């Protein structure tokens, strides 16, 4: 039985777009669509609304079959070493989701899909998602259909943005990816745009994708409503 493969990229902005675009072209050559994790604000005062070139690139990629997934509002740590949505109460999470949704709507990138920074969401954040119009949440250990209240259990194998990027981790990720694909499971791979500019992490991600495809994993994206076999964009 063949499994499924979802590849996502985060940290997409002006500085990382060339590396992300090069990786996207590699995926195009393999027939693998991407789930693009987008945040309206990033550190160093980056604002997606002031970056028309990245907006245009994202719109073109979505038209070509990629998925846009909201990836937080400003990704600020709400407490020391905690990801943005990891400990938020419902009210505050709702305010951040509404603010982020407004920016994506203004830029033509609105989505009903959500992946919290570092894949971590508090119970309050999860409760706020349906009330703000979101239908699917990709978390660290599974993909949640918020409308049907079901979960497809599958962990994320990530590089960067809260996940490790050392050589030993890259090797372990490729081995783990092969194990999931070999048993016909749902394989979720993720890498940050910053790490795509580094030869080691980039090659590890390509190796993991190629191994999964060799084992006949079927490329997909995060989607709602999900396809028959799994939860997985648009």
């Amino acid at each position: 039985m063949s499994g499924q493969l979802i590849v996502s990229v985060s940290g997409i902005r002006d500085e990382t777009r060339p590396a992300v675009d090069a990786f996207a072209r590699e995926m195009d050559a393999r027939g693998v669509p991407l789930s693009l994790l987008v945040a309206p604000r990033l550190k160093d005062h980056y604002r997606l609304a002031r970056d028309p070139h990245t907006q245009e690139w994202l719109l073109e990629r979505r038209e070509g079959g990629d998925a846009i997934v909201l990836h937080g509002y400003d990704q600020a740590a709400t407490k020391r070493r905690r990801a943005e949505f990891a400990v938020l109460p419902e009210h505050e999470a709702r305010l951040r989701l509404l603010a982020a949704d407004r920016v994506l709507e203004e830029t033509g990138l609105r989505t009903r899909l959500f992946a919290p920074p570092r894949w971590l969401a508090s119970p309050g954040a999860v409760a706020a998602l349906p009330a703000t119009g979101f239908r699917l949440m990709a978390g660290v250990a599974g993909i949640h259909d918020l409308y049907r209240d079901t979960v497809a259990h599958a962990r994320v194998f990530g590089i960067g943005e809260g996940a490790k990027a050392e050589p030993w981790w890259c090797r372990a990720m490729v081995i783990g990816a092969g194990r999931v694909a070999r048993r016909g499971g749902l394989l979720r791979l993720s890498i940050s745009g910053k790490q795509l500019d580094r030869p080691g992490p980039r090659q590890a991600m390509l190796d993991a994708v190629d191994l999964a495809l060799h084992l006949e994993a079927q490329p997909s994206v995060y989607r709602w409503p999900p396809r028959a076999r799994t939860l997985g964009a648009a």
Side-chain angles (χ1 to χ4, degrees):
M1 181 177 65
S2 61
Q4 282 198 306
L5 168 66
I6 297 178
V7 181
S8 60
V9 180
S10 62
I12 304 167
R13 54 177 296 172
D14 49 356
E15 295 175 353
T16 63
R17 192 177 66 250
V20 175
D21 181 62
F23 179 73
R25 292 177 187 275
E26 293 266 20
M27 293 299 100
D28 290 344
R30 292 162 168 79
V32 177
L34 291 173
S35 295
L36 303 171
L37 310 187
V38 178
R41 300 183 177 194
L42 294 172
K43 62 182 180 180
D44 299 325
H45 306 292
Y46 175 80
R47 300 290 185 269
L48 177 63
R50 301 175 190 168
D51 184 359
H53 297 298
T54 298
Q55 292 176 39
E56 182 180 1
W57 184 86
L58 289 166
L59 288 167
E60 289 176 354
R61 293 299 308 181
R62 183 168 67 179
E63 290 173 3
D66 289 356
I68 302 296
V69 182
L70 178 63
H71 194 45
Y73 175 53
D74 60 12
Q75 300 195 3
T78 52
K79 289 187 177 181
R80 184 174 177 82
R81 298 185 181 277
R82 295 289 182 91
E84 181 186 3
F85 281 82
V87 296
L88 287 182
E90 183 176 350
H91 175 69
E92 189 173 345
R94 184 183 299 114
L95 293 177
R96 285 178 175 267
L97 289 168
L98 289 171
D101 185 49
R102 190 177 305 115
V103 174
L104 292 197
E105 184 175 22
E106 291 171 354
T107 56
L109 293 165
R110 198 180 196 204
T111 179
R112 300 295 81 198
L113 314 176
F114 179 71
R118 300 189 186 181
W119 308 96
L120 298 173
S122 66
V126 175
L129 285 163
T132 47
F134 289 89
R135 292 290 177 261
L136 182 141
M137 186 193 81
V140 68
I143 306 172
H144 301 249
D145 185 328
L146 301 167
Y147 182 79
R148 297 175 179 85
D149 194 25
T150 58
V151 183
H153 296 283
R155 62 168 290 196
V156 179
F157 291 87
I159 299 179
E161 205 154 291
K164 300 176 180 68
E166 293 88 345
W168 69 267
W169 172 250
C170 291
R171 291 192 296 270
M173 185 203 68
V174 175
I175 293 170
R179 188 178 298 120
V180 173
R182 193 169 287 109
R183 67 170 183 255
L186 169 57
L187 174 58
R188 301 168 61 203
L189 299 174
S190 182
I191 189 167
S192 70
K194 184 176 180 180
Q195 294 299 327
L196 283 173
D197 224 5
R198 298 179 60 199
R202 181 178 181 276
Q203 188 59 53
M205 187 59 61
L206 292 174
D207 289 346
V209 170
D210 287 342
L211 179 56
L213 294 176
H214 175 72
L215 294 169
E216 300 184 344
Q218 301 301 306
S220 186
V221 291
Y222 294 115
R223 68 175 68 250
W224 195 92
R227 288 178 176 169
R229 277 199 56 210
T230 188
L231 295 172

